[in-house]
Amino acid sequence: MAQIKEFSVEEKLASLVSLQKIESKLDEYKILKDEITGLHSRQTRIEEEINGIQEFINQKKEIIKEADALIKKYDKQSQNVKNSREFEAINKEMEMQQLEVKLAEKHIKDANEEIAEKVIVLERAKKNVSSKEGVLKNKKDELDKIIATTEKEEKHFNKLSAEAREKVEPRLLISYDRIRKNYRNGLAVVPVLRDACGGCFNAIPPQRQSEIKQRKKIIVCENCGRILVDDDLNNAVEVK
Ligand SMILES: [Zn+2]
C-alpha cells in the first residue's frame, strides 16, 4: 500500500508559495524572450519599409532620366523643325516632359523626407533591442550565479516546478492552475501586503488577516479568488 503523507495547511501553503515563485521565474524568462522577438521583428519591418521607399526613389530617378532624355531629344528636333506647326507640337511635348520631371522631383523629395523619419524610428528600435538585450544579459548574469546558462536555468526551474507540483495536492493544484491561467501576471498565490490582497489590492479585514496568519485553512481573496498567504510565510519561502 502506498504511504499517504498528510501535510498540514501550513505546509500546503508553503508548497504553493514555492511553486508560485518558481513558475513566476519561468514567466519572467518567457516575457523577456517574447519582447526581444517582438523588437527584432519590428526592426525587420522598418528595414523593409526603408528598402521599399528606396526602391520608389530609384524608380522616380529613372523616370527623371527618361524624361530628361526625351527633353533633349525634342530640343534637338526643335532645332531642325521644318514648319511652325511641327514646332508647336514638339514644344507641347517638351512642356509635358518638364512637368513629368517636376513631379518626379517632388516625389523624390517626399520619399527622402519619409526615409529620414524611418531612419530615426529604426535607430530607436535598434536602441530598444540592444537595451532589452542588455536587460536579458543582466538577468542572465544575475541568475548565472546559480547555473551557467539561461537554458540550464529554465531546465532547472522546470525541474523545480515539476518537483514542487508533486508536493501540492491535486485538488489544490487544479485551483492553482485555474487561477494562474486567469491572470495575465500568472499570480495565483499572493501575500497580504499593506492590509490588502497582493494580487488585486482589495482591502482585507483584520479578522480575515489574522485567520490567514494562523495558517489553519486555505483562504482565497474574496475579490479576485487568489490564494492568500501572510507576508512572513511568503518571505520565508526562497527559490534557488
Ligand atoms: Zn485579490
mmCIF file of all heavy atoms in Angstrom, residues 42-84:
data_model
loop_
_atom_site.group_PDB
_atom_site.id
_atom_site.type_symbol
_atom_site.label_atom_id
_atom_site.label_comp_id
_atom_site.label_asym_id
_atom_site.label_seq_id
_atom_site.Cartn_x
_atom_site.Cartn_y
_atom_site.Cartn_z
ATOM 1 N N ARG A 42 10.039 44.021 -35.302
ATOM 2 C CA ARG A 42 9.753 45.432 -35.550
ATOM 3 C C ARG A 42 10.885 46.065 -36.346
ATOM 4 O O ARG A 42 10.678 46.802 -37.299
ATOM 5 C CB ARG A 42 9.580 46.140 -34.209
ATOM 6 C CG ARG A 42 9.210 47.597 -34.319
ATOM 7 C CD ARG A 42 8.741 48.139 -32.971
ATOM 8 N NE ARG A 42 9.008 49.561 -32.864
ATOM 9 C CZ ARG A 42 8.410 50.489 -33.584
ATOM 10 N NH1 ARG A 42 7.518 50.144 -34.477
ATOM 11 N NH2 ARG A 42 8.719 51.767 -33.433
ATOM 12 N N GLN A 43 12.105 45.728 -35.954
ATOM 13 C CA GLN A 43 13.281 46.256 -36.635
ATOM 14 C C GLN A 43 13.293 45.802 -38.097
ATOM 15 O O GLN A 43 13.529 46.606 -39.002
ATOM 16 C CB GLN A 43 14.526 45.745 -35.909
ATOM 17 C CG GLN A 43 15.801 46.450 -36.349
ATOM 18 C CD GLN A 43 16.995 45.909 -35.574
ATOM 19 O OE1 GLN A 43 16.879 45.526 -34.419
ATOM 20 N NE2 GLN A 43 18.126 45.858 -36.233
ATOM 21 N N THR A 44 13.009 44.528 -38.312
ATOM 22 C CA THR A 44 12.976 43.984 -39.679
ATOM 23 C C THR A 44 11.933 44.708 -40.518
ATOM 24 O O THR A 44 12.173 45.059 -41.668
ATOM 25 C CB THR A 44 12.647 42.476 -39.634
ATOM 26 O OG1 THR A 44 13.538 41.847 -38.727
ATOM 27 C CG2 THR A 44 12.770 41.840 -40.992
ATOM 28 N N ARG A 45 10.770 44.963 -39.905
ATOM 29 C CA ARG A 45 9.688 45.631 -40.622
ATOM 30 C C ARG A 45 10.121 47.026 -41.080
ATOM 31 O O ARG A 45 9.891 47.421 -42.218
ATOM 32 C CB ARG A 45 8.462 45.719 -39.712
ATOM 33 C CG ARG A 45 7.173 45.609 -40.458
ATOM 34 C CD ARG A 45 6.005 45.280 -39.544
ATOM 35 N NE ARG A 45 5.926 46.116 -38.370
ATOM 36 C CZ ARG A 45 5.949 45.648 -37.134
ATOM 37 N NH1 ARG A 45 6.035 44.356 -36.922
ATOM 38 N NH2 ARG A 45 5.878 46.451 -36.097
ATOM 39 N N ILE A 46 10.765 47.755 -40.196
ATOM 40 C CA ILE A 46 11.195 49.116 -40.545
ATOM 41 C C ILE A 46 12.251 49.068 -41.646
ATOM 42 O O ILE A 46 12.226 49.876 -42.582
ATOM 43 C CB ILE A 46 11.722 49.857 -39.294
ATOM 44 C CG1 ILE A 46 10.577 50.045 -38.299
ATOM 45 C CG2 ILE A 46 12.297 51.214 -39.673
ATOM 46 C CD1 ILE A 46 11.020 50.473 -36.918
ATOM 47 N N GLU A 47 13.153 48.101 -41.549
ATOM 48 C CA GLU A 47 14.181 47.964 -42.588
ATOM 49 C C GLU A 47 13.536 47.684 -43.943
ATOM 50 O O GLU A 47 13.945 48.241 -44.960
ATOM 51 C CB GLU A 47 15.164 46.848 -42.209
ATOM 52 C CG GLU A 47 16.228 47.337 -41.235
ATOM 53 C CD GLU A 47 17.011 46.207 -40.570
ATOM 54 O OE1 GLU A 47 16.604 45.039 -40.711
ATOM 55 O OE2 GLU A 47 18.007 46.503 -39.923
ATOM 56 N N GLU A 48 12.501 46.864 -43.935
ATOM 57 C CA GLU A 48 11.800 46.555 -45.185
ATOM 58 C C GLU A 48 11.114 47.801 -45.734
ATOM 59 O O GLU A 48 11.121 48.043 -46.935
ATOM 60 C CB GLU A 48 10.758 45.450 -44.942
ATOM 61 C CG GLU A 48 11.365 44.062 -44.932
ATOM 62 C CD GLU A 48 10.400 42.999 -44.388
ATOM 63 O OE1 GLU A 48 9.243 43.347 -44.072
ATOM 64 O OE2 GLU A 48 10.837 41.860 -44.267
ATOM 65 N N GLU A 49 10.536 48.594 -44.837
ATOM 66 C CA GLU A 49 9.874 49.830 -45.269
ATOM 67 C C GLU A 49 10.876 50.770 -45.929
ATOM 68 O O GLU A 49 10.605 51.349 -46.972
ATOM 69 C CB GLU A 49 9.234 50.519 -44.064
ATOM 70 C CG GLU A 49 7.852 49.970 -43.721
ATOM 71 C CD GLU A 49 7.296 50.522 -42.410
ATOM 72 O OE1 GLU A 49 7.815 51.547 -41.921
ATOM 73 O OE2 GLU A 49 6.369 49.920 -41.885
ATOM 74 N N ILE A 50 12.043 50.887 -45.306
ATOM 75 C CA ILE A 50 13.072 51.763 -45.865
ATOM 76 C C ILE A 50 13.501 51.267 -47.245
ATOM 77 O O ILE A 50 13.640 52.056 -48.191
ATOM 78 C CB ILE A 50 14.277 51.865 -44.893
ATOM 79 C CG1 ILE A 50 13.877 52.711 -43.683
ATOM 80 C CG2 ILE A 50 15.491 52.477 -45.596
ATOM 81 C CD1 ILE A 50 14.971 52.939 -42.681
ATOM 82 N N ASN A 51 13.670 49.975 -47.376
ATOM 83 C CA ASN A 51 14.025 49.407 -48.679
ATOM 84 C C ASN A 51 12.973 49.732 -49.733
ATOM 85 O O ASN A 51 13.302 50.062 -50.867
ATOM 86 C CB ASN A 51 14.193 47.886 -48.578
ATOM 87 C CG ASN A 51 15.481 47.522 -47.885
ATOM 88 O OD1 ASN A 51 16.393 48.338 -47.792
ATOM 89 N ND2 ASN A 51 15.564 46.301 -47.386
ATOM 90 N N GLY A 52 11.707 49.639 -49.326
ATOM 91 C CA GLY A 52 10.608 49.943 -50.238
ATOM 92 C C GLY A 52 10.653 51.381 -50.712
ATOM 93 O O GLY A 52 10.496 51.668 -51.903
ATOM 94 N N ILE A 53 10.921 52.294 -49.787
ATOM 95 C CA ILE A 53 10.974 53.721 -50.145
ATOM 96 C C ILE A 53 12.169 53.978 -51.069
ATOM 97 O O ILE A 53 12.086 54.712 -52.048
ATOM 98 C CB ILE A 53 11.068 54.601 -48.881
ATOM 99 C CG1 ILE A 53 9.810 54.410 -48.022
ATOM 100 C CG2 ILE A 53 11.215 56.060 -49.258
ATOM 101 C CD1 ILE A 53 9.937 54.979 -46.623
ATOM 102 N N GLN A 54 13.272 53.313 -50.748
ATOM 103 C CA GLN A 54 14.480 53.475 -51.566
ATOM 104 C C GLN A 54 14.191 53.031 -53.008
ATOM 105 O O GLN A 54 14.601 53.698 -53.960
ATOM 106 C CB GLN A 54 15.613 52.632 -50.956
ATOM 107 C CG GLN A 54 16.994 52.992 -51.484
ATOM 108 C CD GLN A 54 17.371 54.422 -51.159
ATOM 109 O OE1 GLN A 54 17.403 54.822 -50.009
ATOM 110 N NE2 GLN A 54 17.626 55.222 -52.186
ATOM 111 N N GLU A 55 13.454 51.956 -53.128
ATOM 112 C CA GLU A 55 13.098 51.443 -54.449
ATOM 113 C C GLU A 55 12.237 52.460 -55.200
ATOM 114 O O GLU A 55 12.445 52.701 -56.388
ATOM 115 C CB GLU A 55 12.323 50.139 -54.268
ATOM 116 C CG GLU A 55 12.485 49.153 -55.406
ATOM 117 C CD GLU A 55 11.844 47.835 -55.044
ATOM 118 O OE1 GLU A 55 12.407 47.112 -54.184
ATOM 119 O OE2 GLU A 55 10.762 47.547 -55.587
ATOM 120 N N PHE A 56 11.303 53.053 -54.473
ATOM 121 C CA PHE A 56 10.433 54.080 -55.040
ATOM 122 C C PHE A 56 11.274 55.254 -55.566
ATOM 123 O O PHE A 56 11.074 55.742 -56.672
ATOM 124 C CB PHE A 56 9.464 54.542 -53.940
ATOM 125 C CG PHE A 56 8.551 55.662 -54.314
ATOM 126 C CD1 PHE A 56 7.393 55.413 -55.046
ATOM 127 C CD2 PHE A 56 8.828 56.972 -53.934
ATOM 128 C CE1 PHE A 56 6.529 56.441 -55.370
ATOM 129 C CE2 PHE A 56 7.971 58.004 -54.267
ATOM 130 C CZ PHE A 56 6.815 57.740 -54.984
ATOM 131 N N ILE A 57 12.254 55.673 -54.759
ATOM 132 C CA ILE A 57 13.137 56.776 -55.177
ATOM 133 C C ILE A 57 13.878 56.401 -56.450
ATOM 134 O O ILE A 57 13.977 57.200 -57.394
ATOM 135 C CB ILE A 57 14.134 57.116 -54.040
ATOM 136 C CG1 ILE A 57 13.389 57.821 -52.901
ATOM 137 C CG2 ILE A 57 15.267 57.999 -54.554
ATOM 138 C CD1 ILE A 57 14.268 58.259 -51.765
ATOM 139 N N ASN A 58 14.385 55.183 -56.488
ATOM 140 C CA ASN A 58 15.115 54.744 -57.675
ATOM 141 C C ASN A 58 14.234 54.766 -58.919
ATOM 142 O O ASN A 58 14.675 55.173 -59.992
ATOM 143 C CB ASN A 58 15.695 53.344 -57.458
ATOM 144 C CG ASN A 58 16.830 53.377 -56.446
ATOM 145 O OD1 ASN A 58 17.412 54.423 -56.188
ATOM 146 N ND2 ASN A 58 17.130 52.232 -55.865
ATOM 147 N N GLN A 59 12.976 54.356 -58.738
ATOM 148 C CA GLN A 59 12.039 54.386 -59.867
ATOM 149 C C GLN A 59 11.855 55.815 -60.374
ATOM 150 O O GLN A 59 11.891 56.081 -61.567
ATOM 151 C CB GLN A 59 10.672 53.855 -59.440
ATOM 152 C CG GLN A 59 10.578 52.330 -59.451
ATOM 153 C CD GLN A 59 9.304 51.864 -58.762
ATOM 154 O OE1 GLN A 59 8.392 52.668 -58.508
ATOM 155 N NE2 GLN A 59 9.245 50.578 -58.445
ATOM 156 N N LYS A 60 11.684 56.728 -59.414
ATOM 157 C CA LYS A 60 11.462 58.130 -59.794
ATOM 158 C C LYS A 60 12.697 58.699 -60.485
ATOM 159 O O LYS A 60 12.589 59.481 -61.430
ATOM 160 C CB LYS A 60 11.128 58.969 -58.549
ATOM 161 C CG LYS A 60 9.816 58.615 -57.908
ATOM 162 C CD LYS A 60 8.646 58.913 -58.822
ATOM 163 C CE LYS A 60 7.410 58.188 -58.329
ATOM 164 N NZ LYS A 60 6.302 58.266 -59.294
ATOM 165 N N LYS A 61 13.856 58.304 -59.994
ATOM 166 C CA LYS A 61 15.096 58.775 -60.620
ATOM 167 C C LYS A 61 15.167 58.305 -62.077
ATOM 168 O O LYS A 61 15.599 59.039 -62.965
ATOM 169 C CB LYS A 61 16.312 58.257 -59.844
ATOM 170 C CG LYS A 61 16.638 59.094 -58.613
ATOM 171 C CD LYS A 61 17.898 58.599 -57.949
ATOM 172 C CE LYS A 61 18.243 59.463 -56.738
ATOM 173 N NZ LYS A 61 19.189 58.761 -55.850
ATOM 174 N N GLU A 62 14.718 57.081 -62.276
ATOM 175 C CA GLU A 62 14.700 56.503 -63.631
ATOM 176 C C GLU A 62 13.758 57.311 -64.511
ATOM 177 O O GLU A 62 14.086 57.637 -65.653
ATOM 178 C CB GLU A 62 14.230 55.042 -63.511
ATOM 179 C CG GLU A 62 14.722 54.121 -64.604
ATOM 180 C CD GLU A 62 16.220 54.220 -64.858
ATOM 181 O OE1 GLU A 62 17.029 54.182 -63.901
ATOM 182 O OE2 GLU A 62 16.586 54.358 -66.049
ATOM 183 N N ILE A 63 12.589 57.674 -63.965
ATOM 184 C CA ILE A 63 11.617 58.469 -64.727
ATOM 185 C C ILE A 63 12.221 59.811 -65.120
ATOM 186 O O ILE A 63 12.084 60.279 -66.247
ATOM 187 C CB ILE A 63 10.311 58.668 -63.910
ATOM 188 C CG1 ILE A 63 9.559 57.343 -63.815
ATOM 189 C CG2 ILE A 63 9.436 59.755 -64.502
ATOM 190 C CD1 ILE A 63 8.350 57.371 -62.892
ATOM 191 N N ILE A 64 12.931 60.431 -64.172
ATOM 192 C CA ILE A 64 13.559 61.725 -64.451
ATOM 193 C C ILE A 64 14.573 61.580 -65.592
ATOM 194 O O ILE A 64 14.625 62.402 -66.508
ATOM 195 C CB ILE A 64 14.252 62.277 -63.186
ATOM 196 C CG1 ILE A 64 13.180 62.712 -62.182
ATOM 197 C CG2 ILE A 64 15.163 63.452 -63.527
ATOM 198 C CD1 ILE A 64 13.730 63.314 -60.918
ATOM 199 N N LYS A 65 15.339 60.504 -65.489
ATOM 200 C CA LYS A 65 16.360 60.269 -66.510
ATOM 201 C C LYS A 65 15.721 60.144 -67.891
ATOM 202 O O LYS A 65 16.170 60.766 -68.852
ATOM 203 C CB LYS A 65 17.134 58.993 -66.174
ATOM 204 C CG LYS A 65 18.651 59.191 -66.240
ATOM 205 C CD LYS A 65 19.382 58.120 -65.473
ATOM 206 C CE LYS A 65 19.708 56.919 -66.352
ATOM 207 N NZ LYS A 65 20.284 55.821 -65.545
ATOM 208 N N GLU A 66 14.653 59.360 -67.955
ATOM 209 C CA GLU A 66 13.965 59.147 -69.231
ATOM 210 C C GLU A 66 13.372 60.451 -69.755
ATOM 211 O O GLU A 66 13.500 60.776 -70.938
ATOM 212 C CB GLU A 66 12.848 58.105 -69.073
ATOM 213 C CG GLU A 66 13.363 56.687 -69.111
ATOM 214 C CD GLU A 66 12.331 55.684 -68.592
ATOM 215 O OE1 GLU A 66 11.124 55.988 -68.636
ATOM 216 O OE2 GLU A 66 12.765 54.612 -68.129
ATOM 217 N N ALA A 67 12.750 61.197 -68.858
ATOM 218 C CA ALA A 67 12.141 62.467 -69.260
ATOM 219 C C ALA A 67 13.209 63.446 -69.731
ATOM 220 O O ALA A 67 13.032 64.137 -70.740
ATOM 221 C CB ALA A 67 11.357 63.058 -68.093
ATOM 222 N N ASP A 68 14.327 63.467 -69.017
ATOM 223 C CA ASP A 68 15.442 64.338 -69.419
ATOM 224 C C ASP A 68 15.925 63.986 -70.820
ATOM 225 O O ASP A 68 16.196 64.877 -71.644
ATOM 226 C CB ASP A 68 16.608 64.184 -68.428
ATOM 227 C CG ASP A 68 16.500 65.202 -67.299
ATOM 228 O OD1 ASP A 68 15.858 66.256 -67.519
ATOM 229 O OD2 ASP A 68 17.047 64.956 -66.214
ATOM 230 N N ALA A 69 16.033 62.683 -71.065
ATOM 231 C CA ALA A 69 16.499 62.224 -72.375
ATOM 232 C C ALA A 69 15.533 62.662 -73.466
ATOM 233 O O ALA A 69 15.950 63.127 -74.526
ATOM 234 C CB ALA A 69 16.654 60.709 -72.362
ATOM 235 N N LEU A 70 14.222 62.534 -73.161
ATOM 236 C CA LEU A 70 13.214 62.937 -74.147
ATOM 237 C C LEU A 70 13.290 64.447 -74.409
ATOM 238 O O LEU A 70 13.193 64.893 -75.548
ATOM 239 C CB LEU A 70 11.810 62.561 -73.660
ATOM 240 C CG LEU A 70 11.426 61.097 -73.886
ATOM 241 C CD1 LEU A 70 10.085 60.793 -73.246
ATOM 242 C CD2 LEU A 70 11.370 60.777 -75.392
ATOM 243 N N ILE A 71 13.471 65.210 -73.329
ATOM 244 C CA ILE A 71 13.567 66.669 -73.485
ATOM 245 C C ILE A 71 14.721 67.009 -74.423
ATOM 246 O O ILE A 71 14.592 67.824 -75.340
ATOM 247 C CB ILE A 71 13.768 67.361 -72.121
ATOM 248 C CG1 ILE A 71 12.460 67.300 -71.327
ATOM 249 C CG2 ILE A 71 14.190 68.825 -72.309
ATOM 250 C CD1 ILE A 71 12.577 67.804 -69.906
ATOM 251 N N LYS A 72 15.834 66.335 -74.180
ATOM 252 C CA LYS A 72 16.997 66.588 -75.044
ATOM 253 C C LYS A 72 16.683 66.246 -76.499
ATOM 254 O O LYS A 72 17.058 66.965 -77.417
ATOM 255 C CB LYS A 72 18.185 65.755 -74.543
ATOM 256 C CG LYS A 72 18.883 66.413 -73.359
ATOM 257 C CD LYS A 72 20.314 65.896 -73.195
ATOM 258 C CE LYS A 72 20.924 66.468 -71.917
ATOM 259 N NZ LYS A 72 20.618 65.581 -70.759
ATOM 260 N N LYS A 73 15.977 65.117 -76.641
ATOM 261 C CA LYS A 73 15.646 64.663 -77.993
ATOM 262 C C LYS A 73 14.754 65.695 -78.704
ATOM 263 O O LYS A 73 15.021 66.105 -79.829
ATOM 264 C CB LYS A 73 14.931 63.308 -77.898
ATOM 265 C CG LYS A 73 14.725 62.626 -79.244
ATOM 266 C CD LYS A 73 13.912 61.354 -79.061
ATOM 267 C CE LYS A 73 12.636 61.439 -79.889
ATOM 268 N NZ LYS A 73 11.684 60.397 -79.513
ATOM 269 N N TYR A 74 13.731 66.165 -77.977
ATOM 270 C CA TYR A 74 12.811 67.139 -78.573
ATOM 271 C C TYR A 74 13.517 68.456 -78.826
ATOM 272 O O TYR A 74 13.239 69.143 -79.804
ATOM 273 C CB TYR A 74 11.593 67.353 -77.667
ATOM 274 C CG TYR A 74 10.764 66.108 -77.469
ATOM 275 C CD1 TYR A 74 10.295 65.756 -76.219
ATOM 276 C CD2 TYR A 74 10.447 65.299 -78.563
ATOM 277 C CE1 TYR A 74 9.541 64.610 -76.034
ATOM 278 C CE2 TYR A 74 9.700 64.157 -78.383
ATOM 279 C CZ TYR A 74 9.238 63.813 -77.119
ATOM 280 O OH TYR A 74 8.502 62.697 -76.949
ATOM 281 N N ASP A 75 14.404 68.783 -77.921
ATOM 282 C CA ASP A 75 15.168 70.021 -78.064
ATOM 283 C C ASP A 75 15.931 70.014 -79.389
ATOM 284 O O ASP A 75 15.920 70.985 -80.143
ATOM 285 C CB ASP A 75 16.130 70.135 -76.873
ATOM 286 C CG ASP A 75 16.539 71.581 -76.652
ATOM 287 O OD1 ASP A 75 15.745 72.469 -77.012
ATOM 288 O OD2 ASP A 75 17.642 71.808 -76.124
ATOM 289 N N LYS A 76 16.555 68.873 -79.614
ATOM 290 C CA LYS A 76 17.336 68.708 -80.831
ATOM 291 C C LYS A 76 16.421 68.761 -82.059
ATOM 292 O O LYS A 76 16.704 69.434 -83.045
ATOM 293 C CB LYS A 76 18.060 67.360 -80.782
ATOM 294 C CG LYS A 76 19.348 67.346 -81.589
ATOM 295 C CD LYS A 76 20.064 66.036 -81.320
ATOM 296 C CE LYS A 76 21.278 65.876 -82.219
ATOM 297 N NZ LYS A 76 21.826 64.505 -82.084
ATOM 298 N N GLN A 77 15.273 68.049 -81.932
ATOM 299 C CA GLN A 77 14.297 68.039 -83.031
ATOM 300 C C GLN A 77 13.819 69.444 -83.355
ATOM 301 O O GLN A 77 13.726 69.825 -84.508
ATOM 302 C CB GLN A 77 13.099 67.175 -82.645
ATOM 303 C CG GLN A 77 13.282 65.699 -82.992
ATOM 304 C CD GLN A 77 12.066 64.889 -82.566
ATOM 305 O OE1 GLN A 77 11.008 65.453 -82.287
ATOM 306 N NE2 GLN A 77 12.230 63.576 -82.534
ATOM 307 N N SER A 78 13.565 70.212 -82.281
ATOM 308 C CA SER A 78 13.004 71.548 -82.485
ATOM 309 C C SER A 78 13.976 72.456 -83.239
ATOM 310 O O SER A 78 13.572 73.414 -83.893
ATOM 311 C CB SER A 78 12.622 72.174 -81.152
ATOM 312 O OG SER A 78 13.777 72.511 -80.427
ATOM 313 N N GLN A 79 15.233 72.105 -83.114
ATOM 314 C CA GLN A 79 16.213 72.905 -83.853
ATOM 315 C C GLN A 79 16.177 72.609 -85.346
ATOM 316 O O GLN A 79 16.638 73.404 -86.170
ATOM 317 C CB GLN A 79 17.617 72.639 -83.293
ATOM 318 C CG GLN A 79 17.852 73.359 -81.979
ATOM 319 C CD GLN A 79 19.027 72.800 -81.219
ATOM 320 O OE1 GLN A 79 19.899 72.170 -81.806
ATOM 321 N NE2 GLN A 79 19.051 73.040 -79.924
ATOM 322 N N ASN A 80 15.590 71.451 -85.686
ATOM 323 C CA ASN A 80 15.525 71.080 -87.100
ATOM 324 C C ASN A 80 14.103 71.118 -87.660
ATOM 325 O O ASN A 80 13.771 70.372 -88.559
ATOM 326 C CB ASN A 80 16.065 69.653 -87.322
ATOM 327 C CG ASN A 80 17.413 69.443 -86.673
ATOM 328 O OD1 ASN A 80 18.260 70.333 -86.716
ATOM 329 N ND2 ASN A 80 17.602 68.279 -86.083
ATOM 330 N N VAL A 81 13.260 71.958 -87.024
ATOM 331 C CA VAL A 81 11.860 71.968 -87.486
ATOM 332 C C VAL A 81 11.732 72.607 -88.852
ATOM 333 O O VAL A 81 12.348 73.629 -89.133
ATOM 334 C CB VAL A 81 10.946 72.757 -86.526
ATOM 335 C CG1 VAL A 81 9.542 72.209 -86.585
ATOM 336 C CG2 VAL A 81 11.476 72.784 -85.139
ATOM 337 N N LYS A 82 10.861 71.954 -89.614
ATOM 338 C CA LYS A 82 10.639 72.482 -90.969
ATOM 339 C C LYS A 82 9.568 73.562 -90.960
ATOM 340 O O LYS A 82 9.710 74.607 -91.556
ATOM 341 C CB LYS A 82 10.217 71.340 -91.907
ATOM 342 C CG LYS A 82 11.252 70.223 -91.999
ATOM 343 C CD LYS A 82 12.353 70.601 -92.966
ATOM 344 C CE LYS A 82 13.428 69.537 -93.132
ATOM 345 N NZ LYS A 82 13.871 68.846 -91.938
ATOM 346 N N ASN A 83 8.462 73.315 -90.294
ATOM 347 C CA ASN A 83 7.398 74.326 -90.274
ATOM 348 C C ASN A 83 6.908 74.592 -88.850
ATOM 349 O O ASN A 83 7.178 73.824 -87.926
ATOM 350 C CB ASN A 83 6.243 73.884 -91.180
ATOM 351 C CG ASN A 83 5.667 72.565 -90.737
ATOM 352 O OD1 ASN A 83 5.267 72.422 -89.585
ATOM 353 N ND2 ASN A 83 5.641 71.611 -91.639
ATOM 354 N N SER A 84 6.171 75.657 -88.693
ATOM 355 C CA SER A 84 5.789 76.116 -87.351
ATOM 356 C C SER A 84 4.817 75.160 -86.652
ATOM 357 O O SER A 84 4.791 75.069 -85.429
ATOM 358 C CB SER A 84 5.168 77.515 -87.428
ATOM 359 O OG SER A 84 3.988 77.466 -88.168
#
